[in-house]
Amino acid sequence: MLPLVLAERSGARLLLASNEQRHSEGYCAMYDICGQRTDGKVLNCPYGSPAVKPDELLSSKIQSLCPTITGNVCCTEEQFDTLRSQVQQAIPFLVGCPACLRNFLNLFCELSCSPNQSLFINVTSISKVKNNSTVNGIEFYITDAFGEGMYESCKEVKFGTMNTRALEFIGAGAQNFKEWFAFIGKQAAPNLPGSPYAITFLPSAPESSGMKPMNVSTYSCTDVSLGCSCGDCPSSPVCSAMAPPTSSKGGSCSVHIGSRKAKCVDLALTVLYVVLVSMFLGWGLFHRRRERNQPSRMKPFSNVADHGELDSVSRHKAESLPMQRLDDANQTRTGVQLSVVQGYLSAFYGKYGTWVARNPILVLCLSVGIVLLLCVGLIRFKVETRPEKLWVGPGSRAAEEKQFFDNHLAPFYRIEQLILATIPGSTHDKPPSIVTEDNIKLLFDIQKKVDEIRANYSGSMISLNDICMKPLGQDCATQSVLQYFKMTPKNYDDYGGLEHVMYCFQHYTSADSCMSAFKAPLDPSTALGGFSGNNYTEASAFIVTYPVNNAIASEGNETGKAVAWEKAFIQLVKDQLLPMAQSKNLTLSFSSESSIEEELKRESTADVITILISYLVMFAYISLTLGDTPRLSSFYITSRVLLGLSGVVLVLLSVLGSVGFFSAIGVKSTLIIVEVIPFLVLAVGVDNMCILVHAVKRQPMDLPLEGRISNALVEVGPSITLASLSEVLAFAVGTFIPMPACRVFSMFAALAVLLDFLLQVTAFVSLIVFDFLRAEDKRVDCFPCLKVSSSYADSDKGTGERRHGLLTRYMREIHAPILSLWVVKMIVISAFVAFALASIALSTRIQPGLEQKIVLPRDSYLQGYFNNVAEYLRIGPPLYFVVKNYNYSSESRQTNQLCSISQCDSDSLLNEIARASLTAESSYIAKPAASWLDDFLVWLSPEAFGCCRKFINGSYCPPDDQPPCCTSAPCSFGGVCKDCTTCFLRSDLHNDRPSTAQFTEKLPWFLNALPSADCSKGGHGAYTSSVELKDYERGVIQASSFRTYHTPLNKQTDYVNSMRAAREFSSRVSNSLKMEIFPYSVFYMFFEQYLDIWKTALINLAIAIGAVFVVCLVITCSFWSSAIILLVLAMIVVDLMGVMAILRIQLNAVSVVNLVMSVGIAVEFCVHITHAFMVSGGSKDERVKEALSTMGASVFSGITLTKLVGVLVLCFSRTEVFVVYYFQMYLALVLLGFVHGLVFLPVVLGLFGPPSRCVQVEKQEERPSVSSQP
């Protein structure tokens, strides 16, 4: 696919003129060829002569190319053959728009063969070549109308292979006809492309000269009869009549308030808040005034509103009274009316606690033994690190489309990349240009070292040349500015050094010397970065890309070679290339296809110390909080370090048991599971440990140990069960998330939390029994074999109970009274509702996505690479529109429904893509698509007479500048290809379209045809993997693709929106054309989840909260208390989303899992307080005070602080994902849970809490303590 420079050939088409020039009709200004330059370019004779009548054969040849030339001519047969051989290079670029092609040919036909040539051609300069006078310069008088008409008809014509305008190739990107003429007429230096002599285009001739400008009529591309496509002629009436492309970006609703603009949702929530607060304050004032006006009628216990049976045990026995039991002098006592489920749970835990206290060894051995049995599955433990297996669900549409693309076309190539950039002098300075001689030579040195890489793979040494992508089968398709020197250092000086680079920036499509080593033009925008517009000289970065062949999963051998080379490549960059760049005061960032996977593996060890410190801190805190108030004389007995350590071991066992179970059934683990779940389960499990120990410590000391254990389990067992089941359900809901990493995480976490709960109520209760027996037997903590004499056990005797701790006294004497004040209640409700509504407004600003930089360690070399990609790249990822089952038979219209050249439908796929590229800001399509179908139809066309040709025997004949037609430069006409003819005559085609048989026969020819100067439309290399030829003989091509590019995508939202826009576009076109079309880009597989991430998040949160509500309702049988818990949970989740928006935490599978988990974790802040409130007696304020006194301290010390100390350590993590998604989100969750559980919930319960479950029961007789019963 060699680009053209028609200007250099224009001189070859000029005819000789006489020394005595005569400017009149019927005379030539130039005729015949009198010599050639040293570089082989032919020169015309400057002798005027009358126009000559050609013979019949020459006349028919001229008519076939130049229908406006009739009668006499001013060109010989040799000149016409030269003209024909040169313009045939331009025909493939323009044949898609007949109007443009006709105008373009007329320009050179008139210049070369017009019988009135002397009227508009004036020879102004003559040179001597071997004593022959030859033309050295001419003036070409041509009207502006013709120039404007020709340019207007050609300016939008596309060259499919390069996704760019044809004028980039045949006009150096001219922006008007004068620039185009200037390019054509510029005289070229020896061995450089361009005209062999100067051509000056002038709009008018001097009146005295008798000359007049050439003014052949031009054809407009809007002429429907000429059939220019919409892509080549957007102003065509057929195209302009169509509806413009719709924008995929929907504007958000907003309201102007004065000079400010507010979102509708913000305004609506503000109004809602004012209404709610006004109603609440009005109700509060009314209620308060009514209370003051009515006499106080306080009852010691409120009546029971719920209709239910009294707990059978509390009706008949006093053995299993839950929580507080208050006796009075009037022979009555308080009983608790429990729900059926709570009754059974209380009865079960009462009996179970007694049994465990009597058989701790049996319980401990059985429970630990079962979990250890599950741990046997760890022998099959495997970690999944492949990104596509971690983040993409197997049933996803994107995964299926990728599989189709890989299997039917070709896997997307692997990318190895270097970005070499300059450093600005200061923060605000513009970085200097990278395009200097020293930097280019440094790039050659870097390239030499890359070429020398030899990676060992199964005993064979692999080089870049062994694995790189070779479009034409010879040279690597490396994208680098070094391609302007054919990747060869010695060519640097030979080609002109830095000046040649600057020249190629402007003529990369048209100059042979700028052609890459792999025989294709190199777009500077793919090899440079940090420039604006087309100002390539200001580029501040060289971007070197090595496309490497990829393989589908079943072809692991090829992938293994590439991975081995990539590891050697990364090591080379770190060891040698980085120091080389730094020595020149440059930055070098780099990446390979396997870099992310390798860095994720390294991440598994990056935070080991941080995680261990977190465990140690939590362990130390557990040991302190489980023990009694430290006393110097007895701390070594009252401390519970060994119990805390045993609890941590049980937590780790539950994690290992979960991992072991899933490993046994073949589920691979992930690095997040290995690192996060132990910490998570420890944070969750510690709560139950603290609550259980505190509950035992609250029991009267005069009871035997088994009685205290039994009463403690009766007191907290139901709420622990409720909280744990809610957590398990909340984690389990995460299994509905399609992303494998998060789904597996949720599975592992749910089972780990369940096992941890079971171990807490079995093994840990047994350990509590052992520990309290140790303490009562005055044995030293951690060294139970040592027994000391101490009076600590006698210190509380006679009191019958332990002294309340400082935190408990604070809750009872300060915290609860403050919250009971009406003013405080009003403020709390107003503030929390305000923050909840503000969080709803803020949550609409949360962006979907997961920055790759966050997932990687902070010291990863990919951090700098991703920053540089966003800063320097000026083109987006390739985008393919894949067509399934394209029916190319003559009976089908699908060919015209896809193509974009003449005779194609105006609403065809390729025309729609071109139209969408005009609104790139919403479609994210950067340019029209490269179309193998368009190029194939042009290649077949008889007008493109240098392309589809055949020998006399019917076999394929290549263009004249390719072997065997041309064996040495310069190519000569004749030889073995002299008798080649075009594949078809125009009469052989029906409406310029091949028949089914013609299409079937010639498509393989096209895909194997090498592009060259004589025929740039050859499909080999450019379209080799764009068409699947399997079973295509039946008239249906199962898979084919049309390539374009996305606009530069710098943010996660850009990737998500570009994918959404492409899918909406393909869906619309598919429905319109009744064809199956889908878009494919390499990143779609990883970003598909974000298209519906909000829907996924809301559904999973609704299920999680709903599951917790159902569990609460089943266990408590109280709709009112369950509704309050539901409200608080919803507010915590909403507030957490508001914090996410403030901290700019994105919405992705990780944060969705965290939100779902937050439901389970937040339950602990609610259920214990709510349960304690329900089973307390008195007024609502008194019950709140009692609940905060009994459970507030446990919630604060056992739940809030345990999570807090563990979370705080994560802020020192080296991996950003831990800091953002685990430290920040979990810290916010703990703080929000704390304030909601100990501030908002008590206020709500005090105002709207459910009736008490306490009732007055007549005291029958004094019974011995429950713990004393056998």
Side-chain angles (χ1 to χ4, degrees), residues 931-1100:
S931 169
W932 68 268
L933 182 57
D934 284 358
D935 285 358
F936 173 55
L937 295 176
V938 169
W939 183 85
L940 277 177
S941 172
E943 283 83 1
F945 43 76
C947 293
C948 186
R949 308 197 306 169
K950 59 184 179 181
F951 287 110
I952 296 175
N953 62 7
S955 60
Y956 174 64
C957 176
D960 285 325
D961 59 352
Q962 294 181 23
C965 303
C966 177
T967 55
S968 60
C971 297
S972 59
F973 304 107
V976 297
C977 299
K978 65 179 180 180
D979 296 325
C980 287
T981 59
T982 58
C983 294
F984 306 109
L985 301 175
R986 177 171 288 278
S987 59
D988 296 332
L989 304 176
H990 179 66
N991 290 332
D992 293 334
R993 297 293 181 261
S995 66
T996 306
Q998 292 167 341
F999 197 112
T1000 302
E1001 179 189 8
K1002 297 302 185 290
L1003 182 58
W1005 286 19
F1006 166 72
L1007 295 176
N1008 290 321
L1010 292 171
S1012 63
D1014 280 359
C1015 180
S1016 59
K1017 291 291 186 179
H1020 187 67
Y1023 301 122
T1024 302
S1025 59
S1026 296
V1027 186
E1028 183 186 31
L1029 293 181
K1030 181 181 178 181
D1031 298 329
Y1032 84 105
E1033 299 89 351
R1034 296 179 298 178
V1036 175
I1037 294 175
Q1038 296 182 29
S1040 62
S1041 66
F1042 302 93
R1043 186 194 72 249
T1044 180
Y1045 290 90
H1046 278 301
T1047 52
L1049 308 175
N1050 297 322
K1051 299 181 296 184
Q1052 294 283 293
T1053 50
D1054 292 339
Y1055 285 94
V1056 178
N1057 291 335
S1058 67
M1059 181 180 183
R1060 179 181 289 108
R1063 284 193 169 179
E1064 289 175 355
F1065 171 84
S1066 64
S1067 176
R1068 175 172 60 83
V1069 175
S1070 295
N1071 293 333
S1072 172
L1073 303 181
K1074 303 297 186 292
M1075 299 176 70
E1076 190 172 359
I1077 304 168
F1078 68 84
Y1080 171 75
S1081 192
V1082 67
F1083 68 87
Y1084 282 4
M1085 190 169 63
F1086 302 105
F1087 284 84
E1088 182 184 39
Q1089 56 177 307
Y1090 303 122
L1091 296 179
D1092 299 314
I1093 192 68
W1094 270 108
K1095 179 180 177 182
T1096 300
L1098 295 177
I1099 289 177
N1100 281 278

Side-chain angles (χ1 to χ4, degrees), residues 1010-1219:
L1010 292 171
S1012 63
D1014 280 359
C1015 180
S1016 59
K1017 291 291 186 179
H1020 187 67
Y1023 301 122
T1024 302
S1025 59
S1026 296
V1027 186
E1028 183 186 31
L1029 293 181
K1030 181 181 178 181
D1031 298 329
Y1032 84 105
E1033 299 89 351
R1034 296 179 298 178
V1036 175
I1037 294 175
Q1038 296 182 29
S1040 62
S1041 66
F1042 302 93
R1043 186 194 72 249
T1044 180
Y1045 290 90
H1046 278 301
T1047 52
L1049 308 175
N1050 297 322
K1051 299 181 296 184
Q1052 294 283 293
T1053 50
D1054 292 339
Y1055 285 94
V1056 178
N1057 291 335
S1058 67
M1059 181 180 183
R1060 179 181 289 108
R1063 284 193 169 179
E1064 289 175 355
F1065 171 84
S1066 64
S1067 176
R1068 175 172 60 83
V1069 175
S1070 295
N1071 293 333
S1072 172
L1073 303 181
K1074 303 297 186 292
M1075 299 176 70
E1076 190 172 359
I1077 304 168
F1078 68 84
Y1080 171 75
S1081 192
V1082 67
F1083 68 87
Y1084 282 4
M1085 190 169 63
F1086 302 105
F1087 284 84
E1088 182 184 39
Q1089 56 177 307
Y1090 303 122
L1091 296 179
D1092 299 314
I1093 192 68
W1094 270 108
K1095 179 180 177 182
T1096 300
L1098 295 177
I1099 289 177
N1100 281 278
L1101 285 172
I1103 294 174
I1105 295 176
V1108 172
F1109 175 77
V1110 171
V1111 171
C1112 293
L1113 188 61
V1114 168
I1115 293 180
T1116 65
C1117 291
S1118 171
F1119 179 84
W1120 194 234
S1121 62
S1122 301
I1124 290 176
I1125 291 175
L1126 178 71
L1127 171 67
V1128 178
L1129 288 181
M1131 290 185 66
I1132 291 175
V1133 172
V1134 168
D1135 291 350
L1136 183 58
M1137 295 176 72
V1139 173
M1140 285 177 59
I1142 295 171
L1143 299 178
R1144 297 185 178 179
I1145 297 176
Q1146 294 172 308
L1147 189 67
N1148 49 57
V1150 179
S1151 53
V1152 169
V1153 168
N1154 285 349
L1155 287 171
V1156 172
M1157 289 190 304
S1158 70
V1159 175
I1161 295 175
V1163 166
E1164 298 185 354
F1165 293 97
C1166 305
V1167 295
H1168 300 296
I1169 299 290
T1170 306
H1171 180 75
F1173 176 83
M1174 291 178 64
V1175 297
S1176 299
S1179 67
K1180 288 182 178 179
D1181 285 342
E1182 290 173 343
R1183 291 161 60 197
V1184 167
K1185 183 177 180 180
E1186 185 66 26
L1188 287 174
S1189 301
T1190 56
M1191 293 305 298
S1194 294
V1195 169
F1196 181 76
S1197 62
I1199 298 178
T1200 306
L1201 293 183
T1202 50
K1203 288 177 170 59
L1204 198 61
V1205 295
V1207 166
L1208 289 175
V1209 180
L1210 290 180
C1211 71
F1212 301 104
S1213 172
R1214 294 167 58 193
T1215 305
E1216 196 72 16
V1217 71
F1218 273 81
V1219 176

